[in-house]
Amino acid sequence: PRVAVRSTLGDLAEKSIGEMHSGRITSIEKYGAFVDIGCKTTHALLHKSRIFSNQRVDDVSSVFKRGDMVEVRLIDVDLEKSTMAVSMLNTKSDTYLDERKVKKSDELAEALALSFVIDHRDEVEVDGYGGLFS
């Protein structure tokens, strides 16, 4: 797969913040990876805190190697510094999305069960406090 080429950093700032881009990892640093998303003048920084929301990334080279293709969202363009930032959070590349849906479902089920108990005025214990809830 090829990376689409855009003419300037200004074009990206004007039209693409918040949009998804296919990119290629061009280099890996301790703090993140640089991704070519098609700008002729600069590559975007994918900071290690913006790779996965469900796990900490200490060693970026354990996740990516140079040349890997990634799907990222452009989140910032600084025209004065000629820099861009991208993120994989809340994208299909972020594996936490499915886990979060499951967690929300579990929380909803617990809340419904507790409301059922309370609606039927049963004696319950919540966080060490027992009693009749009405």
Side-chain angles (χ1 to χ4, degrees):
R2 294 189 61 191
V3 175
V5 176
R6 298 189 190 243
S7 58
T8 67
L9 189 61
D11 285 345
L12 285 169
E14 214 173 278
K15 302 174 187 172
S16 294
I17 298 221
E19 290 185 10
M20 295 298 297
H21 296 272
S22 293
R24 185 179 312 277
I25 302 290
T26 57
S27 65
I28 296 173
E29 304 293 335
K30 291 179 183 178
Y31 50 85
F34 284 92
V35 182
D36 176 3
I37 61 170
C39 182
K40 289 183 178 181
T41 58
T42 190
H43 295 167
L45 172 62
L46 173 59
H47 191 270
K48 66 183 182 178
S49 66
R50 293 187 175 126
I51 296 173
F52 299 119
S53 55
N54 68 333
Q55 66 188 40
R56 180 183 169 139
V57 175
D58 291 320
D59 181 11
V60 180
S61 65
S62 70
V63 179
F64 302 118
K65 64 182 185 305
R66 192 168 181 231
D68 284 350
M69 292 298 293
V70 292
E71 292 293 317
V72 294
R73 183 178 314 279
L74 181 63
I75 59 171
D76 187 38
V77 175
D78 187 329
L79 294 173
E80 288 181 16
K81 295 180 182 178
S82 294
T83 60
M84 295 184 290
V86 293
S87 174
M88 288 177 60
L89 302 181
N90 297 319
T91 67
K92 66 182 179 184
S93 302
D94 182 8
T95 57
Y96 185 60
L97 286 179
D98 292 333
E99 293 173 20
R100 187 169 27 204
K101 287 177 188 170
V102 168
K103 184 177 179 185
K104 291 284 184 196
S105 297
D106 290 346
E107 289 171 0
L108 179 60
E110 287 176 22
L112 289 172
L114 182 59
S115 70
F116 176 80
V117 168
I118 291 172
D119 284 346
H120 289 82
R121 293 186 169 89
D122 290 339
E123 191 166 322
V124 296
E125 184 173 308
V126 178
D127 293 331
Y129 296 98
L132 185 62
F133 289 80
S134 56

